Amino acid sequence: MKIVKKEYITYVIIIFIIWIVIAIQIGIVPKEDKKDSDISLTDVKFIDIRKKANNIPEDTIVNFYYRLVNIGDSDLKIGYINPDCSCTKCYAIDSVVPPGDSTVIVMMFNTKYKLGLHKLNTVVKLNTPTMLYKISAMVDVISKNIIK
């Protein structure tokens, strides 16, 4: 068995470090995202954060609308909107809201193969001191046979 000299190990470590630095510079290894402290904060007012719908027949799509108003001095930026279920789709009408203006977040719930009471939650990230907000809906889905 051949013994590896210490200088070869040192060369390998140096080459590895150089490779990492080059990979970061050309984008192979992702750089850190822009820090939250670099983003200007504003304030928001949700008109409503909870909704409820009763006696919704199965196999329909229910839409909920959540209005929010930028009450701060900077643009309100919607970072992301994440529903907790794949049966729910969410989007914002505007991703950037100027001061004094408002937008709507739409939550769409597909009741296909869903019966009973469903609690839906969605997390919204905004450039405000609170950062994360939860909007929710309760939907009571009934069978089509009950409606007839």
Side-chain angles (χ1 to χ4, degrees):
M1 188 164 107
K2 201 172 187 181
I3 298 176
V4 179
K5 293 183 180 179
K6 288 184 181 179
E7 36 187 61
Y8 291 127
I9 293 173
T10 305
Y11 291 136
V12 169
I13 291 173
I14 291 172
I15 290 172
F16 180 73
I17 291 171
I18 291 171
W19 181 83
I20 291 292
V21 169
I22 292 172
I24 290 172
Q25 292 299 320
I26 63 172
I28 295 173
V29 177
K31 295 179 184 177
E32 288 185 32
D33 290 338
K34 190 174 185 181
K35 295 184 179 178
D36 290 334
S37 62
D38 297 341
I39 298 172
S40 60
L41 298 179
T42 190
D43 289 312
V44 67
K45 178 182 179 186
F46 277 85
I47 303 305
D48 42 16
I49 58 171
R50 291 183 189 91
K51 302 280 186 165
K52 188 173 184 179
N54 292 317
N55 299 326
I56 303 299
E58 64 180 319
D59 248 356
T60 58
I61 294 178
V62 183
N63 293 324
F64 297 99
Y65 302 94
Y66 301 86
R67 194 166 142 241
L68 53 110
V69 180
N70 181 356
I71 58 172
D73 297 327
S74 300
D75 284 347
L76 176 68
K77 297 175 185 166
I78 299 176
Y80 59 76
I81 304 171
N82 287 342
D84 64 351
C85 178
S86 62
C87 61
T88 307
K89 306 290 182 223
C90 294
Y91 64 92
I93 301 297
D94 302 301
S95 61
V96 177
V97 183
D101 206 354
S102 66
T103 191
V104 173
I105 294 175
V106 180
M107 180 189 295
M108 300 171 19
F109 174 61
N110 188 348
T111 65
K112 189 172 187 174
Y113 307 120
K114 308 278 185 192
L115 289 175
L117 186 63
H118 296 273
K119 297 177 183 176
L120 311 169
N121 294 304
T122 296
V123 175
V124 180
K125 181 181 178 185
L126 303 172
N127 62 323
T128 62
T130 303
M131 279 183 63
L132 299 177
Y133 296 85
K134 180 176 85 169
I135 56 176
S136 60
M138 289 183 64
V139 182
D140 188 15
V141 181
I142 59 175
S143 173
K144 285 183 179 179
N145 298 330
I146 294 175
I147 298 172
K148 293 180 183 179

